[in-house]
Amino acid sequence: MSTEATEPQRYVHAEIEARWQRYWDEHQTFSTPARSGSRPKKYVLDMFPYPSGAGLHVGHPEGYTATDILARFWRMNGIDVLHPMGWDAFGLPAEQYAIETGTHPAVTTQKNVETFRRQLKSLGFSYDWTREVDTTDPAYVRWTQWIFLQLFHKGLAYQDRVSVNWCPALGTVLANEEVKDGLSERGNHPVERVPLRQWMMRITAYADRLLDDLSMVDWPHGTLTMQREWIGRSEGARIVFGIAGTEKSFDVFTTRPDTLIGCTYCVLAPEHPLVGEITTAEQKEAVQTYASAASSRSDRDRSSDAKKKTGVFTGAYAIHPITGSQVPIWVADYVLYGYGTGAVMAVPGHDERDFEFAKTFDLPIVEVVSPDGALHAPIAKAFIDDGIAVNSGEFNGLSTAQCKKAMIEKLASLNKGSARITYKLRDWVFSRQRYWGEPIPVYFPVQMEDANGNPRSGDKHTILYDQPIAVDESELPLRLPDLTDFKPGQDPAGPLARAVDWRYFQKDGKWYARETNTMPQWAGSCWYYLRFTDPQNSTVAWSEKAHNDWMPVDLYVGGAEHAVLHLLYSRFWHKVLFDLGHVKQPEPFMKLVHQGMILGEDGDKMSKSRGNVVNPDHIVKMFGADALRMYEMFMGPLEAVKPWQTSQVSGVVRFRDRLYSAVLKNDSAAVMGEETKKLLHRTVKKVTHDIESMAFNTAISQMMVYVNHLYTLTTIPLEAVLPLILIVSPFAPHLGEELWNKTGHSQSLAYEPWPTWDEALCVDDVVEMAVQVNGKVRGKIQLAKAATEEEARTAALAVESVAAFTQGKQVKKFVYVPGKIINLVVG
RNA sequence: GCCGAAGUGGCGGAAUGGCAGACGCGGUGGACUCAAAAUCCACUAUCCGCAAGGGUGUGAGGGUUCAAGUCCCUCCUUCGGCACCA
């Protein structure tokens, strides 16, 4: 026999990985099983990507590898797994590219999807590719529009004129969170505030349920907090203030009704409709100037110089609902029109902002809550904590909690107020003035000036936006018209307004106009997890059976950047669908995990401009898909933010190659020694537990320990490596399949039962224990776990290195924790 | 400012209150080789010491405990999120 023949073969990743990927494709290894009901299921979901032109980024495979490991692990545990992938493919970049080059967004999208699919396939993920969905596919859009209509029919989708962030350069409205310092987050174009007709989603109707049902899900603590904060429920009171000399009144919202007696002035938001009505002639000019200046500034600008308080007196006075005294009414932009009632009662003694404002404009400050019941005038700073009511007449002496209650009762009896709950959460601006989104399936009657006119040829007409008509479900999907010019233009109606043949149509001799706004990118991602259960269904969005088979999502993995918006919008739609009976659980995502961001080698966020982007194609080519997968899992805890280091990849490459050649050296006749057997069982146990708790880095480390041990053996028994092949396979599936095949198996290991362990082999009867003297390790002993305290003491004192420190001293205390530690306290 | 997460060798990181630094990268030495690469083996927190051994050490300072990276208090730094929410 030649030396070459006995030399273990090298692991040629390019050839082996391509071969197994082909095998999985040809054998449909990962097609989703038909559910019979007798086996448990797991729905393992990744946040699907936006297929950008830049292709996959090393950040993507991090979460995808984590879910793939669990999907493969659960299959091997006899669980039916749904593990799909798709594309969140509407969005601004494709449209921007279309504007620049004239290439249709559908063409760009298709090309990008192909790149993403090829790249994901090259990583060996066990997705069921027959379930792929694409949010831009008319067969998908159809059902997004269908869900919109359900919301519309329930009165949850409505039109309103709202002051929005209009970006003329992008020709679209941006969400507050998409605007940074008066510029658009994408492209840095200037943004202005203008009132526009918009489609809104009444998410506020679901505020309490969105808040309460967070108790039903297993999500990261921080994400739950962020959602709660975003909803921002706050309990307080609505209080009515009359306006002196008129019949008019206004409501304020306060969380501190107990401080009402200390109210020395009121403040209206500049946008408040009463401002124009109550301002006196002398103050008119100043107020108008102030209000118009405030309205032209963005929310962000208005809040950026929050420290400096500005405002103008209206000349009008409000009547205090309890004392009947008159307090001045001011206008100031620290009061937000969009929150509460857009008006506040100012209690400078007990609110920091009111205090600053009162100081600036020399308004009176009264103490009505005291920390100790005594009086402290003048007050040096606002006392905002709970205390005891003072200077409050009949309420004096009450605690803050008692006083709140008493004040609300008093107000109610006077018909001047009531308990009230307010939310920070606002309704969702749902329309976009863009081309590349789902058309909103609504149309409006058109009134022609000349009854024989044709709106398509520009004859004068009026669109009756207040009479929206839903497109009939049978006509869905309402497709986008083909355009060649995607430029946004001046018209806030968006590019679709130019497709006049599409926009205007006749029915029964009357003209109608389609809605030219489109849906936001969130729409498609709000319900894709439902479509994955039944992606090809052409009669319903998903069948009841498909829903029952797979919902809810058991594990959802994605970036923390979606902690609020995507997850909140998605939960909102889900709850609406729940109320309509289309889904059966109130919450869609049971367990949520955020993978941490992967930074560049320089420790900065990866970005093209920094030039620190790592392309997964390059890593796969150099080291192989299994190496990339294992490296990303070995880098550190999944949730942690961590820097990429290409030099570290060689560690997992060596591990893979050592494992490969150790297995190939196996001897089927050899029997495991006791030490090997114990370590194998412990390794299987630890890897199993670590996968379940998603501690992939320590699972890999344990397998490395085991492989290192195999290298100390002169012969490696086959029985010592078979379980190893199985437990490494979720991490390195190509390696697993190759070795499973080379150890005489003709079938894929994808459904091979997961190895078990013998607990008895995982515990030692005799352990090495450290012996401490005054907390410092001074020696080691071998001791039975069952040893008595007396045996332990004798053994410990017999150790020479220990005796050196106890010599001539008295043992004041003897600490013995069996199997853990011995500590001699001497003095 | 508020909320959240985190600070451990040269680097990534590990450690149910019980021997800090598993595992990996890098480094040093050795084996193999004509030589190199690859591979294999050993060592590798730091200070004093020829060694045996000892001292110090988990962002800083206190505390609880026989015992603290881990629990408590004060502070510093970094990252992420929110930001006049009445």
XYZ file of all heavy atoms in Angstrom, chain A residues 47 210 213-228 553-556 562-564 566-571 587-594:
327
model
N -35.877 37.217 10.583
C -36.387 38.440 9.973
C -35.869 38.434 8.542
O -34.656 38.370 8.318
C -35.881 39.662 10.727
C -36.581 39.842 12.061
S -36.112 41.366 12.885
C -36.946 41.138 14.467
N -51.793 45.956 23.093
C -50.389 45.835 22.693
C -49.482 45.895 23.922
O -48.429 45.267 23.966
C -50.015 46.944 21.700
C -50.621 46.770 20.306
C -50.486 48.044 19.482
C -49.970 45.596 19.571
N -50.483 42.468 26.423
C -50.124 41.145 25.909
C -48.617 40.915 25.838
O -48.169 39.810 25.540
C -50.768 40.908 24.534
C -52.282 40.737 24.654
O -52.783 40.732 25.789
O -52.962 40.623 23.616
N -47.845 41.953 26.135
C -46.398 41.738 26.203
C -46.064 40.735 27.306
O -45.000 40.117 27.292
C -45.670 43.067 26.455
C -45.638 44.034 25.263
C -45.056 45.381 25.683
C -44.830 43.457 24.107
N -46.985 40.569 28.246
C -46.739 39.596 29.316
C -46.820 38.161 28.815
O -46.428 37.230 29.512
C -47.755 39.801 30.436
O -49.047 39.506 29.943
N -47.324 37.979 27.590
C -47.488 36.613 27.073
C -46.269 36.100 26.327
O -46.222 34.941 25.934
C -48.678 36.566 26.097
C -49.975 37.030 26.729
S -51.288 37.237 25.508
C -51.245 35.633 24.725
N -45.309 36.971 26.043
C -44.201 36.566 25.175
C -42.874 36.507 25.918
O -42.692 37.164 26.942
C -44.072 37.513 23.957
C -45.313 37.424 23.085
C -43.814 38.952 24.389
N -41.975 35.686 25.369
C -40.642 35.503 25.938
C -39.670 36.307 25.071
O -39.124 35.799 24.099
C -40.313 33.995 25.915
C -38.906 33.720 26.401
O -38.261 34.630 26.952
O -38.454 32.565 26.231
N -39.550 37.568 25.421
C -38.733 38.484 24.625
C -37.631 39.075 25.494
O -37.760 39.091 26.714
C -39.612 39.644 24.104
C -40.509 39.315 22.957
C -40.883 38.077 22.514
C -41.166 40.260 22.097
N -41.731 38.196 21.446
C -41.920 39.536 21.178
C -41.182 41.653 22.052
C -42.680 40.156 20.185
C -41.940 42.278 21.079
C -42.677 41.530 20.152
N -36.575 39.623 24.837
C -35.526 40.269 25.642
C -36.129 41.386 26.498
O -37.005 42.135 26.044
C -34.571 40.845 24.602
C -34.810 40.051 23.366
C -36.261 39.658 23.408
N -35.647 41.470 27.711
C -36.166 42.432 28.668
C -36.136 43.856 28.110
O -37.114 44.608 28.223
C -35.355 42.338 29.966
C -35.853 43.244 31.021
N -35.271 44.462 31.262
C -36.901 43.144 31.868
C -35.942 45.067 32.220
N -36.930 44.292 32.612
N -35.004 44.211 27.509
C -34.855 45.563 26.985
C -35.870 45.886 25.901
O -36.375 47.012 25.819
N -36.185 44.917 25.069
C -37.152 45.119 23.994
C -38.551 45.321 24.551
O -39.301 46.183 24.084
C -37.116 43.915 23.036
O -35.782 43.783 22.551
C -38.061 44.112 21.865
N -38.890 44.552 25.579
C -40.192 44.737 26.218
C -40.290 46.140 26.794
O -41.307 46.820 26.635
C -40.380 43.698 27.332
C -40.526 42.248 26.880
C -40.562 41.314 28.088
C -41.794 42.068 26.051
N -39.228 46.585 27.442
C -39.222 47.933 28.020
C -39.411 48.978 26.931
O -40.195 49.909 27.073
C -37.889 48.187 28.753
O -37.687 47.150 29.691
C -37.910 49.527 29.478
N -38.697 48.807 25.826
C -38.794 49.783 24.753
C -40.212 49.845 24.183
O -40.713 50.923 23.874
C -37.777 49.463 23.654
C -36.381 49.933 24.008
S -35.091 49.181 23.001
C -35.339 50.017 21.465
N -40.859 48.675 24.035
C -42.224 48.682 23.528
C -43.167 49.362 24.513
O -44.041 50.131 24.123
C -42.700 47.244 23.244
C -41.961 46.611 22.074
C -42.887 46.095 20.996
O -44.058 45.800 21.223
N -42.371 45.975 19.789
N -42.983 49.074 25.788
C -43.839 49.700 26.812
C -43.656 51.215 26.799
O -44.622 51.965 26.871
C -43.497 49.153 28.202
C -43.944 47.719 28.372
C -43.930 47.284 29.841
N -44.241 45.870 29.912
C -43.337 44.917 30.130
N -42.068 45.238 30.351
N -43.697 43.657 30.145
N -45.254 31.544 15.719
C -43.806 31.442 15.517
C -43.180 31.108 16.871
O -43.426 31.798 17.860
C -43.236 32.776 14.981
C -41.716 32.712 14.907
C -43.837 33.097 13.621
N -42.409 30.021 16.915
C -41.816 29.611 18.184
C -40.534 30.369 18.490
O -40.224 30.648 19.642
C -41.534 28.108 18.157
C -42.828 27.328 18.055
O -43.516 27.207 19.071
O -43.178 26.876 16.937
N -39.763 30.638 17.425
C -38.502 31.358 17.634
C -38.329 32.365 16.511
O -38.407 32.005 15.332
C -37.314 30.377 17.633
C -35.929 31.039 17.717
C -35.734 31.737 19.052
C -34.829 30.012 17.497
N -38.121 33.609 16.891
C -37.971 34.690 15.916
C -36.634 35.371 16.205
O -36.398 35.826 17.328
C -39.124 35.676 16.081
C -39.322 36.671 14.943
C -38.877 36.407 13.658
C -39.988 37.874 15.174
C -39.090 37.318 12.632
C -40.221 38.788 14.149
C -39.761 38.501 12.878
O -39.975 39.394 11.869
N -35.175 46.507 15.036
C -36.608 46.368 14.796
C -37.400 46.192 16.088
O -38.567 45.818 16.059
C -36.882 45.188 13.861
C -36.334 45.416 12.488
N -35.319 44.660 11.953
C -36.613 46.349 11.567
C -35.023 45.123 10.749
N -35.786 46.146 10.492
N -36.729 46.486 17.213
C -37.337 46.225 18.521
C -38.672 46.939 18.693
O -39.561 46.443 19.371
C -36.381 46.628 19.643
N -38.828 48.098 18.109
C -40.074 48.820 18.299
C -40.986 48.734 17.075
O -42.022 48.085 17.112
C -39.836 50.300 18.675
C -41.165 51.014 18.810
C -39.071 50.394 19.987
N -41.197 47.544 13.616
C -41.674 46.345 12.917
C -42.485 45.452 13.854
O -43.569 44.982 13.503
C -40.505 45.563 12.322
C -40.819 44.129 12.035
N -41.787 43.755 11.111
C -40.357 42.981 12.567
C -41.867 42.438 11.089
N -41.019 41.950 11.965
N -41.947 45.230 15.043
C -42.603 44.299 15.959
C -43.930 44.848 16.484
O -44.869 44.087 16.727
C -41.654 43.949 17.112
C -40.487 43.056 16.681
C -39.393 43.028 17.736
C -40.969 41.630 16.408
N -44.027 46.148 16.611
C -45.270 46.738 17.085
C -46.341 46.726 15.987
O -47.490 46.351 16.212
C -45.010 48.170 17.563
C -46.042 48.773 18.487
C -46.070 48.027 19.821
C -45.744 50.244 18.728
N -45.943 47.116 14.777
C -46.889 47.135 13.655
C -47.393 45.734 13.360
O -48.575 45.500 13.111
C -46.223 47.705 12.399
C -45.860 49.172 12.497
C -44.809 49.693 11.747
C -46.569 50.044 13.320
C -44.466 51.044 11.814
C -46.229 51.384 13.395
C -45.176 51.882 12.651
O -44.849 53.199 12.718
N -46.470 44.783 13.388
C -46.806 43.401 13.114
C -47.783 42.855 14.165
O -48.764 42.191 13.838
C -45.494 42.618 13.177
O -45.500 41.607 12.279
N -47.511 43.162 15.408
C -48.394 42.714 16.492
C -49.773 43.346 16.341
O -50.787 42.721 16.620
C -47.783 43.078 17.849
C -46.504 42.327 18.168
C -45.923 42.776 19.506
N -46.848 42.529 20.593
C -47.130 43.405 21.551
N -46.545 44.581 21.574
N -47.998 43.106 22.486
N -50.855 36.694 20.098
C -49.500 37.153 19.812
C -48.846 36.254 18.760
O -48.947 35.035 18.846
C -48.643 37.133 21.086
C -48.946 38.275 22.047
C -48.513 39.637 21.521
O -47.471 39.720 20.838
O -49.229 40.621 21.789
N -48.114 36.840 17.799
C -47.518 36.018 16.751
C -46.160 35.405 17.085
O -45.848 34.318 16.629
C -47.362 36.996 15.583
C -47.256 38.354 16.217
C -48.038 38.286 17.510
N -45.340 36.106 17.872
C -43.946 35.678 18.062
C -43.692 35.329 19.525
O -43.590 36.205 20.367
C -42.979 36.784 17.642
C -43.295 37.409 16.304
C -43.559 38.771 16.192
C -43.337 36.626 15.154
C -43.852 39.347 14.963
C -43.631 37.201 13.917
C -43.895 38.559 13.820
N -43.569 34.027 19.823
C -43.464 33.622 21.216
C -42.103 33.950 21.818
O -42.018 34.592 22.837
C -43.756 32.122 21.363
C -45.167 31.731 20.916
S -46.446 32.934 21.356
C -46.505 32.716 23.124
N -41.041 33.489 21.183
C -39.700 33.793 21.703
C -38.962 34.639 20.688
O -38.954 34.319 19.499
C -38.912 32.514 21.986
C -37.549 32.791 22.641
C -36.802 31.493 22.911
C -35.363 31.761 23.342
N -35.235 32.371 24.659
N -38.358 35.695 21.176
C -37.632 36.611 20.306
C -36.201 36.750 20.796
O -35.965 36.861 21.998
C -38.317 37.985 20.338
C -37.616 39.134 19.629
C -37.714 38.981 18.115
C -38.213 40.483 20.045
N -35.270 36.704 19.861
C -33.852 36.881 20.205
C -33.246 37.868 19.202
O -33.526 37.783 18.004
C -33.094 35.531 20.153
C -31.600 35.733 20.358
C -33.646 34.574 21.206
N -32.444 38.787 19.697
C -31.743 39.712 18.802
C -30.286 39.290 18.695
O -29.606 39.199 19.718
C -31.758 41.132 19.362
C -33.122 41.714 19.538
N -34.023 41.814 18.498
C -33.740 42.237 20.619
C -35.132 42.384 18.953
N -34.994 42.639 20.238
